Amino acid sequence: MYRNKLLAFILAITLAQASFGQMLNNSPYTRYGLGEVMSTSTAPFSGFGGLSTPIANFKFVNVSNPATYSSLARYNPIFDVAVYGKLSTLKTENESVKNSTFVLRNFTLALPIGKKWGAAFGLMPYSTTGYNITDYQVLDGDSIANNYIGDGSINRAFIGTGCNMINQGDTLKLSVGVNASYLFGTLERERNVVFSNSTFYNTKVQEKNALRGMSFDGGIHFYQKISTDLSWQFGATYSFGSDLKTSQDFYAYTYKYQLGVVEDEKDTIDFYDNVQGLTTLPTGFSAGVAVNYKKWMFGGQYEYKNWHQFKEVVNAIDLTEQPLKQSNKFTLGFEYKPSAAYGDKNKSIFKKSIYRIGFHYGNTPIEIDSTQLTNFGMNLGISVPLISSRSLSMMNIGIGIGKMGTTDNNLIQENYFKIFFGFSMGPSNYDKWFRKRKYD
């Protein structure tokens, strides 16, 4: 157990260092809204394509549905840490460019507090922004470069709890739960207009938005065992809309280039610090069903968010750059577990591992030139037990390939490869938590 704790600690420190000093995303579509909104699914569910709402598994932390916290095994807390990487190719009809990012995905600790009650808390990203786009045009014979740059992230620190309203052992369970999240972070945006004629003054606009505020989501989970080999689960969640307090710094000025690279500022067009506003987040829901039959599990899930509600208002002025659309996502997932019995010492590591495959398709909230962008892909995953620890600890790996957007109508298509890598760490059989001992 101490070796596992040391491994998790070293991994966490290494990943935290790797996450600083680099752009957390590299997609032109993160220019809209708050950037790429990250799923709350932890690494074990990445192989499902994000299918998680209907699944309660005592070996893993399911942040997507807080009602599942009550399903944790008694005396067995789970610590989950993971990283996330993305390799992408951005394509137009005429050219392409490759990008890569690598960031910390989550720190999460789930605690079984009683027979009917569990809790979890942790830290994970809510959204990431990273883009550098240049659009060229010719006006009256002069070439003009319009450059758009953005960077930053919104983080989520959360605490949640779930409890069983009905608990009939392994036969029937009904649970409810809630997550309370504190969102905080900074987004920086910059717009440049640069003339090829060196006698003209260029223009630059810089914005820095610091956001903070609370958000809440609730969940319900139902489990029923029909026979020895057959059971099914249902889960649903609802995300409440919220307003994040926004503090904006703004600076707009004109300049020329000295020696072609150094800015020589001329006039300040506008300037202000710490102007207050609100950023409105949308409501949304998800619902799904999973069926367990012997060593197999398969399920489906639907997610919806009303991003049309998203607004950025500063100093009573609506600064939303482009209205967003309602988004939805359909997910199908399959799992195979060769060894159904936990703790069977006669099975090989390959038979004790859990294998997953998932597919997803949906409309993103981004619409450009009357074209709403779609995102679809396939995922594979595996959870490998750390046998030497004699615990519930597992190494989780998930990969995904997919496509977002299109090259039609002069748009950009993003082909991506994603990888999730992490550990779900639990105490050994000799180191249970919250157990009252007869002898000290």
Side-chain angles (χ1 to χ4, degrees):
M1 182 61 187
Y2 293 106
R3 180 183 301 175
N4 292 337
K5 290 181 178 179
L6 179 60
L7 177 61
F9 178 76
I10 293 174
L11 176 65
I13 295 299
T14 303
L15 301 180
Q17 292 176 344
S19 298
F20 290 103
Q22 67 167 316
M23 187 173 286
L24 300 180
N25 207 319
N26 210 326
S27 170
Y29 293 123
T30 60
R31 175 184 171 189
Y32 304 102
L34 296 179
E36 180 181 357
V37 177
M38 310 293 284
S39 168
T40 54
S41 299
T42 51
F45 300 96
S46 62
F48 275 136
L51 174 67
S52 55
T53 299
I55 300 174
N57 189 323
F58 65 91
K59 296 181 182 180
F60 306 115
V61 186
N62 185 357
V63 181
S64 300
N65 188 344
T68 63
Y69 300 155
S70 62
S71 300
L72 296 167
R74 200 175 183 192
Y75 311 122
N76 283 277
I78 299 294
F79 172 66
D80 189 284
V81 59
V83 292
Y84 161 78
K86 182 173 77 169
L87 304 175
S88 60
T89 302
L90 304 175
K91 297 175 57 179
T92 64
E93 292 181 345
N94 302 316
E95 57 184 335
S96 65
V97 61
K98 296 183 182 296
N99 293 309
S100 63
T101 56
F102 180 80
V103 298
L104 181 65
R105 185 65 181 86
N106 68 275
F107 288 110
T108 308
L109 178 63
L111 303 171
I113 300 177
K115 293 181 179 180
K116 300 181 179 181
W117 183 27
F121 61 91
L123 179 67
M124 59 177 54
Y126 176 82
S127 70
T128 59
T129 297
Y131 60 88
N132 191 334
I133 311 166
T134 303
D135 176 38
Y136 295 94
Q137 65 182 101
V138 177
L139 182 63
D140 295 332
D142 187 59
S143 177
I144 304 173
N146 297 285
N147 185 227
Y148 306 90
I149 301 173
D151 190 18
S153 66
I154 305 299
N155 302 302
R156 179 203 304 264
F158 75 93
I159 183 169
T161 185
C163 65
N164 290 327
M165 305 301 292
I166 300 175
N167 188 345
Q168 298 181 6
D170 294 333
T171 304
L172 185 72
K173 291 183 181 180
L174 176 65
S175 307
V176 296
V178 62
N179 281 327
S181 301
Y182 178 70
L183 306 181
F184 62 98
T186 301
L187 300 179
E188 298 185 25
R189 299 165 180 153
E190 182 179 297
R191 303 188 298 274
N192 286 300
V193 178
V194 180
F195 296 89
S196 60
N197 189 331
S198 60
T199 62
F200 292 171
Y201 282 99
N202 307 310
T203 303
K204 178 176 288 188
V205 177
Q206 296 175 325
E207 295 178 7
K208 183 177 181 180
N209 294 332
L211 298 92
R212 64 191 186 280
M214 298 294 299
S215 71
F216 299 89
D217 60 278
I220 185 171
H221 184 268
F222 176 80
Y223 168 85
Q224 183 181 23
K225 185 175 182 179
I226 299 175
S227 67
T228 303
D229 296 327
L230 181 64
S231 64
W232 71 286
Q233 306 176 71
F234 168 80
T237 64
Y238 184 82
S239 299
F240 298 87
S242 60
D243 290 326
L244 304 183
K245 293 183 179 180
T246 305
S247 176
Q248 185 180 88
D249 298 340
F250 183 91
Y251 184 31
Y253 61 94
T254 60
Y255 68 96
K256 287 184 178 181
Y257 280 117
Q258 292 284 357
L259 303 177
V261 292
V262 180
E263 291 184 7
D264 181 17
E265 296 184 19
K266 176 62 177 177
D267 293 312
T268 297
I269 301 173
D270 198 2
F271 171 80
Y272 54 79
D273 281 333
N274 199 29
V275 174
Q276 301 301 304
L278 291 175
T279 298
T280 301
L281 300 183
T283 58
F285 71 88
S286 69
V289 175
V291 177
N292 296 75
Y293 179 69
K294 293 185 177 180
K295 300 177 181 180
W296 292 88
M297 180 174 70
F298 54 92
Q301 177 177 301
Y302 173 74
E303 300 173 63
Y304 167 87
K305 276 201 172 181
N306 188 10
W307 280 100
H308 186 69
Q309 299 171 336
F310 176 80
K311 289 187 181 299
E312 292 181 289
V313 177
V314 176
N315 200 21
I317 301 174
D318 188 349
L319 300 179
T320 309
E321 184 170 349
Q322 177 172 317
L324 300 178
K325 295 292 183 178
Q326 299 169 346
S327 67
N328 56 65
K329 178 182 177 183
F330 298 89
T331 305
L332 291 175
F334 302 86
E335 178 183 276
Y336 176 63
K337 184 167 53 176
S339 176
Y342 167 68
D344 189 343
K345 298 180 180 179
N346 298 320
K347 301 294 184 180
S348 71
I349 189 172
F350 299 104
K351 291 186 177 181
K352 287 186 175 182
S353 298
I354 304 173
Y355 304 89
R356 305 181 183 93
I357 184 171
F359 306 88
H360 63 88
Y361 175 85
N363 293 317
T364 74
I366 303 171
E367 181 179 87
I368 303 175
D369 295 335
S370 301
T371 301
Q372 188 169 3
L373 305 184
T374 60
N375 187 348
F376 66 90
M378 181 184 76
N379 296 71
L380 297 171
I382 183 173
S383 292
V384 181
L386 304 181
I387 296 178
S388 62
S389 68
R390 297 182 181 180
S391 69
L392 300 180
S393 300
M394 305 194 82
M395 178 177 66
N396 306 300
I397 302 173
I399 60 173
I401 57 174
K403 183 183 79 170
M404 176 179 171
T406 176
T407 57
D408 297 339
N409 300 326
N410 296 317
L411 299 179
I412 298 173
Q413 176 179 303
E414 181 181 7
N415 298 330
Y416 58 80
F417 171 83
K418 297 181 178 180
I419 183 167
F420 300 81
F421 178 77
F423 292 91
S424 299
M425 313 292 293
S428 70
N429 294 331
Y430 307 104
D431 190 24
K432 303 298 185 183
W433 290 24
F434 307 113
R435 174 182 288 175
K436 185 176 181 180
R437 303 185 183 276
K438 294 182 179 180
Y439 304 99
D440 192 1

